[in-house]
Amino acid sequence: MSDFEQLEAEWAFATQAVRAGQTRTQEQEHSEPIFPTSSFVFSSAAEAAARFSGEQPGNIYSRFTNPTVRTFEQRLARMEGAECCVATASGMSAILATCLGILKTGDHIVSSRSIFGTTTVLFTNFMAKLGIETTFVELSDLAAWENAIEKNTRLLFLETPSNPLTELVDIKALAEISRKHDCLLAVDNCLATPALQQPISLGADIVIHSATKYIDGQGRCMGGAVLGTESIVGTDVYAFLRSAGPTMSAFNAWVFLKGLETLDLRMKAHSAGAMELARWLEQQPQVARVYYPGLESHPQHELAKSQQKGFGGLLSFELKGGKDDGWKLVDATQICSITANLGDTKTTITHPATTTHGRLTPEQRQESGIADGLIRIAVGLEDIEDIKKDLARGM
Ligand SMILES: *Cc1c(COP(=O)(O)O)cnc(C)c1O
């Protein structure tokens, strides 16, 4: 580590979010520049050869080296407390790059059942095609994780809190199990973000992000990231990215850099709004159950308090009625956006059973606890009183 990198590592989180990773060009720009160029020129044939062979570090081609993308990677790495970060074109390509970077045919994944619907499809349809099987377990059940581990298990994969039911797992305890069996523990930290939870400090090996969500924060760009050690992420995952090409664009990296600068503030505001809305929903007679880790009624409230710095912006609730009541509530809203995205300044509302989890079979949905009357809200940054009125309209 250089002296400056040492200094950056000692900065508090909010300072890293605003300043880490930036190196000014000779133009002395204040805000980070965008480098929209596919390739970089060399001063001589010898320099080109040295760059290509890896003898001399530096930019070559934006599929795997771009200064704006690198600034984003370095800043996010600081914020997650990771040695290394590889940015990708989307959250799904971050998960794909992790799997194909570190797994081979015959390896086995143990995954939480409560993961993003498309991740389930990636594991069951596409990883399985390559001879990489997945066993799904209950997120919070540590014994189930350990029992599912086989000789060829290489990767444990989870999201905590989960989407949409905000279940948690004790990352520290699972990391111990993972180490004991020589597996790698990957945490999709999309919902909490490093502002609320830093899985590497709790023992996770790999952190995955969909930057599309809270890192952007305003619903503009697709992107993702994989974070971890130099040997796993900096070598194996990076090698996959370089050869396969699901690369983050310089423009998107710049938008995400600006997103990181306000992440800490936004996550506090999202969390405060969600807490207020969750308390209100618990009072509504049409609501059977509210899922939010900040509520005392959440079965893992104590774990959430010790593992996270805040409870996040996402909550779900189950209406006493079924799908018809769910759709009625969604259709009656005038402010909430009916869209699958989350982590936006604009509050979004979804009916998971017929959208994000619609590709799962009814049995898979039932196993995952996605009831027909379930509604997911990703609380934005509007005045929460207006959101309450918007939801009351359809109840
Ligand atoms: C959205 C999401 C993904 C996928 O990210 P994309 O950027 O949409 O590809 C993965 N994991 C979680 C938890 C997500 O919410």
Side-chain angles (χ1 to χ4, degrees):
M1 233 191 239
S2 71
D3 288 352
F4 189 71
E5 283 170 344
Q6 186 62 46
L7 184 69
E8 272 193 359
E10 286 165 15
W11 285 342
F13 183 80
T15 311
Q16 290 173 337
V18 172
R19 292 192 175 266
Q22 186 174 12
T23 44
R24 296 212 165 89
T25 72
Q26 68 213 25
E27 302 297 341
Q28 293 288 65
E29 67 284 349
H30 190 203
S31 177
E32 296 77 358
I34 312 177
F35 286 92
T37 175
S38 44
S39 72
F40 297 84
V41 293
F42 312 107
S43 59
S44 66
E47 188 182 71
R51 289 272 174 88
F52 270 85
S53 71
E55 231 169 84
Q56 186 194 92
N59 302 316
I60 299 175
Y61 189 65
S62 282
R63 188 185 333 106
F64 52 98
T65 48
N66 178 280
T68 314
V69 175
R70 190 178 317 118
T71 305
F72 167 75
E73 289 170 338
Q74 288 178 352
R75 185 169 298 177
L76 186 58
R78 282 279 171 252
M79 293 166 73
E80 285 286 4
E83 257 174 50
C84 187
C85 172
V86 168
T88 57
S90 66
M92 288 319 302
S93 57
I95 299 171
L96 179 69
T98 303
C99 290
L100 294 188
I102 66 181
L103 302 178
K104 60 179 189 316
T105 298
D107 284 347
H108 177 239
I109 302 171
V110 179
S111 171
S112 160
R113 194 170 279 144
S114 311
I115 55 171
F116 190 60
T118 312
T119 311
T120 308
V121 175
L122 178 73
F123 288 166
T124 52
N125 294 12
F126 296 99
M127 288 303 129
K129 242 183 5 189
L130 303 177
I132 298 166
E133 298 293 334
T134 304
T135 303
F136 292 95
V137 297
E138 180 68 36
L139 174 65
S140 59
D141 186 346
L142 293 170
W145 282 95
E146 188 151 24
N147 285 336
I149 293 174
E150 318 234 4
K151 275 205 189 66
N152 58 340
T153 306
R154 178 94 175 107
L155 182 69
L156 309 186
F157 184 94
L158 63 93
E159 295 167 23
T160 181
S162 68
N163 169 15
L165 295 179
T166 72
E167 296 163 288
L168 277 67
V169 70
D170 185 333
I171 297 175
K172 226 183 230 170
L174 189 59
E176 263 171 45
I177 293 171
S178 178
R179 258 194 307 277
K180 187 171 116 195
H181 294 276
D182 237 355
C183 301
L184 294 171
L185 175 62
V187 176
D188 181 335
N189 202 27
C190 174
L191 252 61
T193 80
L196 304 184
Q197 170 175 280
Q198 289 156 317
I200 288 173
S201 73
L202 300 168
D205 301 288
I206 297 167
V207 168
I208 289 170
H209 276 288
S210 166
T212 316
K213 312 294 169 53
Y214 289 105
I215 291 179
D216 176 315
Q218 296 181 52
R220 298 160 293 192
C221 291
M222 303 287 306
V226 186
L227 298 106
T229 60
E230 204 50 65
S231 72
I232 297 166
V233 174
T235 309
D236 299 341
V237 177
Y238 180 68
F240 173 79
L241 183 92
R242 181 172 176 154
S243 304
T247 306
M248 179 181 283
S249 78
F251 177 78
N252 287 10
W254 182 81
V255 172
F256 295 138
L257 272 168
K258 297 294 118 185
L260 289 179
E261 292 177 9
T262 57
L263 184 68
D264 200 36
L265 279 176
R266 285 186 288 107
M267 291 315 291
K268 284 182 180 128
H270 284 298
S271 299
M275 188 73 238
E276 173 75 26
L277 190 65
R279 289 235 158 86
W280 176 80
L281 283 165
E282 271 198 321
Q283 310 292 313
Q284 306 310 304
Q286 299 88 346
V287 174
R289 183 166 172 196
V290 183
Y291 299 87
Y292 186 63
L295 292 173
E296 289 77 13
S297 62
H298 191 286
Q300 295 167 298
H301 178 60
E302 288 306 317
L303 176 61
K305 276 205 294 194
S306 64
Q307 183 162 279
Q308 300 178 204
K309 278 182 263 176
F311 302 114
L314 187 124
L315 63 82
S316 292
F317 59 99
E318 218 172 288
L319 290 164
K320 286 179 183 157
K323 181 195 137 192
D324 291 348
D325 283 28
W327 277 26
K328 186 172 148 247
L329 183 121
V330 170
D331 288 340
T333 59
Q334 292 172 357
I335 296 174
C336 294
S337 313
I338 308 173
T339 175
N341 198 31
L342 62 92
D344 197 309
T345 53
K346 297 177 170 67
T347 297
T348 67
I349 186 165
T350 11
H351 182 250
T354 52
T355 57
T356 52
H357 292 66
R359 279 197 283 172
L360 303 186
T361 64
E363 294 74 39
Q364 283 174 321
R365 266 204 299 280
Q366 201 180 358
E367 274 183 5
S368 307
I370 310 296
D372 288 342
L374 189 76
I375 300 289
R376 185 193 82 181
I377 308 274
V379 177
L381 300 178
E382 305 96 336
D383 192 306
I384 204 67
E385 296 306 317
D386 285 331
I387 301 301
K388 287 182 196 169
K389 280 184 218 155
D390 206 36
L391 296 176
R393 211 171 269 130
M395 280 202 194

